[in-house]
Amino acid sequence: MVMCPQLLCFDDESAFAGCMAETAGMESAVIARHRFPDGEIRLQLPPMLPQRVVLLRSLHHPNEKLVELLLAARAARALGATHLTLVAPYLAYMRQDKAFAPGEAVSQRIVGDWLAELFDALVTVDPHLHRVLRLAEAVPVRDALALSGAPLLAEWVARRRSRPLLIGPDEESAQWVASAAAARGFDHAVCRKIRHDDRRVEIELPRMNVSGREVVVFDDVASSGHTVAVATRLLLAAGAASVDLAVTHALFADDAERLVRAAGVREIWSTDTIAHPSNAVSVAPALAAALASLAA
Amino acid sequence: MVMCPQLLCFDDESAFAGCMAETAGMESAVIARHRFPDGEIRLQLPPMLPQRVVLLRSLHHPNEKLVELLLAARAARALGATHLTLVAPYLAYMRQDKAFAPGEAVSQRIVGDWLAELFDALVTVDPHLHRVLRLAEAVPVRDALALSGAPLLAEWVARRRSRPLLIGPDEESAQWVASAAAARGFDHAVCRKIRHDDRRVEIELPRMNVSGREVVVFDDVASSGHTVAVATRLLLAAGAASVDLAVTHALFADDAERLVRAAGVREIWSTDTIAHPSNAVSVAPALAAALASLAA
């Protein structure tokens, strides 16, 4: 008996999984999770699993979820799965790709190697890679596939703003902003960023006239919100008609959203890699298509 | 250059580590930990490590700490350590040693195997093992050593109560209570427990006269506190002069301590495997001695 691949998810992502499964023509099931008073968790998977299993887990605030992945992946193999794919719309621990100070744990390599021990394949969206450019280097699974939310967000922006100017808040966003702009022929540029610590950043606007322009600040992730807030104030001071924010990952730690709103951001548009009220575009269909290409 | 083993700990356990290191004649150092706004953590270890490294981490509320262990253990190896010992005064995920329902993740095996991939040796105190009796079966490291807090607590009780009656709240505690009682020739017995779910338990007292006795309820771990609370009420109703509580692991989830106090428990004595105001006896010297025996 050959069964179709099955998509497994957790209860807080069952709607997303349902959408993916429907597009991909797969069955989906929820992993039951019980939390004991002492903080330990118990997982229950469907007792009959096909050989190919896909596990959906977006890894924002990752630590607890990484332990869930360990339990779920090893349990799936014990229940008969021989090929495990992780679909992580948001992938964690990709920033620390080297020891910036002696003795630092290189978490990208450690978490990447560890995910590759648990899974055979990985599909994600806009992983935050810098010095390590290929996803398969960061997470050395047999098949590693990184999609981008940039063209999806560019489509969305094209339907809402005429002749928008896409601005990346730092040099790291250059390639990403360029690909979004290219999809629709939008003007684009990036700021220069000098980061002092997690919460203090200095920004230099690109040398161009933003006066009267409908600016969309475009980035892969909004985390503390400080970079976006600083850029927004500078853009509005320089005469921009409006500033909207388009991000793949709406991480928005703590009071980040309040911060960017207070700086004058008009609308926030994000993909649904992380569930958030600003979600405007779904990556579920693209992830489902990617799964189909992996299975082929 | 051969260097002595080094003991690494996290900031919240530096006092315990200092006590262990002093007894064992080792050097200790704190792993610096930074938490980013998005929930990721960054660890920094001493950049020069000896070949033998001991990592101290008590694993109550374990999920975040398990990720810290992953990062710390792999980073330690990258920095030159070739033999890693985990000292976990409280060891997590030891209860689920089989699938009680089809499809359940057998977390003892999964977490145990995983710890054995990270570490060469393990020292712990009173692991909560049932069907799997030997620690090395649950966590298949080369050297696995389980100490017991029972004789330490029995010593403590002997100095505070004359002719105490030690009562185990369920059959699982029988061997543990017996060994504590044997150390000082105390009377002892166990209750019968019928567990309905995490928070509802039924208890049957042992068939003996407890009237006028100074009872000490003895257990390896106090978690929800419900079992102890029920047993305490029954013992006081049966005429016990007093009920104290002695436990190795003061886990005390949520309002567990209030619950046992409200049931009439007079004093709570615990070891310091988990930091708690009830800590009366330190296991640090015994753990240091165990480390010395492993190294020999």
Side-chain angles (χ1 to χ4, degrees):
Chain A
M1 180 180 67
V2 178
M3 289 187 284
C4 291
Q6 185 162 28
L7 177 65
L8 301 182
C9 67
F10 290 87
D11 51 358
D12 53 326
E13 293 179 320
S14 59
F16 190 103
C19 175
M20 265 187 73
E22 198 182 313
T23 311
M26 298 169 72
E27 290 204 5
S28 71
V30 173
I31 297 174
R33 178 176 37 177
H34 175 76
R35 177 181 294 279
F36 293 100
D38 61 4
E40 295 186 8
I41 49 175
R42 181 183 65 210
L43 301 185
Q44 188 177 9
L45 283 66
M48 292 283 290
L49 287 179
Q51 288 193 318
R52 293 180 79 98
V53 168
V54 179
L55 189 58
L56 170 71
R57 198 60 171 143
S58 203
L59 293 171
H60 48 297
H61 293 277
N63 297 335
E64 173 104 3
K65 292 170 187 160
L66 290 175
V67 175
E68 290 172 358
L69 285 190
L70 169 71
L71 295 173
R74 296 263 167 113
R77 294 208 195 264
L79 292 164
T82 57
H83 186 282
L84 286 181
T85 300
L86 172 64
V87 174
Y90 179 77
L91 186 59
Y93 281 113
M94 288 297 110
R95 300 189 202 196
Q96 178 126 23
D97 52 13
K98 67 169 193 172
F100 298 100
E104 278 185 5
V106 182
S107 52
Q108 184 198 77
R109 174 163 309 161
I110 295 171
V111 173
D113 284 349
W114 180 67
L115 289 174
E117 290 161 26
L118 293 178
F119 296 95
D120 303 289
L122 167 68
V123 184
T124 187
V125 184
D126 288 326
H128 201 82
L129 302 173
H130 296 159
R131 279 155 293 268
V132 172
L133 291 174
R134 288 180 52 248
L135 178 61
E137 271 178 74
V139 186
V141 287
R142 209 179 315 156
D143 294 301
L145 199 51
L147 311 182
S148 178
L152 300 173
L153 287 166
E155 273 312 309
W156 177 268
V157 167
R159 294 202 302 274
R160 269 150 198 86
R161 300 285 177 262
S162 60
R163 221 172 69 79
L165 168 62
L166 307 194
I167 293 287
D170 53 28
E171 299 91 332
E172 287 171 359
S173 63
Q175 205 185 346
W176 197 81
V177 173
S179 81
R184 301 290 301 201
F186 294 151
D187 294 341
H188 64 98
V190 296
C191 304
R192 270 191 68 224
K193 175 157 85 169
I194 304 120
R195 178 176 283 281
H196 296 293
D197 58 36
D198 285 0
R199 307 211 176 247
R200 285 191 313 134
V201 286
E202 229 176 284
I203 292 283
E204 205 177 271
L205 287 189
R207 288 184 196 161
M208 67 189 302
N209 185 9
V210 301
S211 180
R213 296 296 299 266
E214 293 198 305
V215 174
V216 180
V217 173
F218 235 78
D219 209 352
D220 58 345
V221 56
S223 180
S224 71
H226 283 75
T227 312
V228 171
V230 172
T232 299
R233 284 187 209 281
L234 290 175
L235 286 161
L236 290 172
S242 66
V243 177
D244 302 300
L245 172 62
V247 290
T248 300
H249 306 298
L251 203 50
F252 288 118
D254 303 334
D255 61 347
E257 193 184 348
R258 193 191 54 72
L259 202 76
V260 301
R261 298 265 184 211
V265 164
R266 185 168 51 166
E267 295 207 50
I268 303 175
W269 303 309
S270 63
T271 78
D272 58 351
T273 58
I274 295 171
H276 189 264
S278 65
N279 290 168
V281 181
S282 181
V283 295
L287 287 170
L291 276 185
S293 80
L294 274 185
Chain B
M1 180 179 64
V2 177
M3 289 187 284
C4 291
Q6 186 164 27
L7 178 65
L8 300 182
C9 67
F10 290 88
D11 51 358
D12 54 325
E13 293 179 319
S14 61
F16 190 103
C19 174
M20 265 187 72
E22 198 182 315
T23 311
M26 298 169 72
E27 289 202 7
S28 71
V30 172
I31 297 173
R33 178 177 38 177
H34 175 76
R35 176 181 294 279
F36 293 100
D38 60 4
E40 296 186 7
I41 48 175
R42 181 183 65 210
L43 301 186
Q44 188 177 9
L45 283 67
M48 291 283 289
L49 287 179
Q51 289 194 320
R52 292 181 80 98
V53 168
V54 179
L55 188 58
L56 170 71
R57 198 58 171 146
S58 203
L59 294 170
H60 48 297
H61 293 276
N63 296 336
E64 172 105 4
K65 292 170 188 161
L66 290 175
V67 176
E68 291 172 358
L69 285 191
L70 169 71
L71 295 173
R74 297 260 168 115
R77 294 207 195 265
L79 292 164
T82 56
H83 185 281
L84 286 181
T85 300
L86 171 64
V87 174
Y90 179 76
L91 185 60
Y93 280 112
M94 288 297 109
R95 301 188 203 195
Q96 179 125 23
D97 52 12
K98 66 168 193 174
F100 298 100
E104 278 184 4
V106 182
S107 52
Q108 184 197 78
R109 176 164 308 162
I110 295 171
V111 173
D113 285 349
W114 181 67
L115 289 175
E117 290 161 24
L118 293 178
F119 295 95
D120 303 288
L122 167 68
V123 184
T124 187
V125 183
D126 289 325
H128 201 81
L129 303 173
H130 295 160
R131 281 156 293 267
V132 172
L133 291 174
R134 287 179 53 249
L135 178 61
E137 272 178 73
V139 186
V141 287
R142 206 179 317 155
D143 294 300
L145 198 52
L147 311 183
S148 177
L152 300 174
L153 287 166
E155 273 312 307
W156 177 269
V157 167
R159 294 202 301 275
R160 269 149 199 86
R161 298 287 177 262
S162 59
R163 222 173 68 80
L165 168 62
L166 306 193
I167 293 286
D170 54 28
E171 299 91 331
E172 287 171 358
S173 63
Q175 206 185 345
W176 197 80
V177 173
S179 80
R184 301 291 301 202
F186 295 150
D187 294 342
H188 66 98
V190 297
C191 303
R192 270 192 67 225
K193 174 157 87 170
I194 305 118
R195 178 176 286 279
H196 297 293
D197 59 35
D198 285 1
R199 306 209 176 251
R200 285 191 313 133
V201 288
E202 229 176 284
I203 292 285
E204 205 177 273
L205 288 188
R207 288 184 195 161
M208 66 191 302
N209 185 9
V210 301
S211 179
R213 297 295 300 265
E214 293 198 308
V215 173
V216 180
V217 173
F218 234 79
D219 210 351
D220 58 344
V221 57
S223 181
S224 72
H226 282 75
T227 313
V228 171
V230 172
T232 299
R233 284 187 210 281
L234 290 175
L235 286 161
L236 291 172
S242 66
V243 177
D244 303 300
L245 171 62
V247 291
T248 300
H249 305 299
L251 203 50
F252 289 116
D254 302 335
D255 60 347
E257 192 183 348
R258 194 192 53 74
L259 202 75
V260 301
R261 298 264 185 212
V265 164
R266 185 168 51 167
E267 294 205 51
I268 303 176
W269 302 309
S270 63
T271 79
D272 58 352
T273 57
I274 296 171
H276 189 265
S278 65
N279 290 169
V281 181
S282 179
V283 295
L287 287 171
L291 276 184
S293 80
L294 275 184

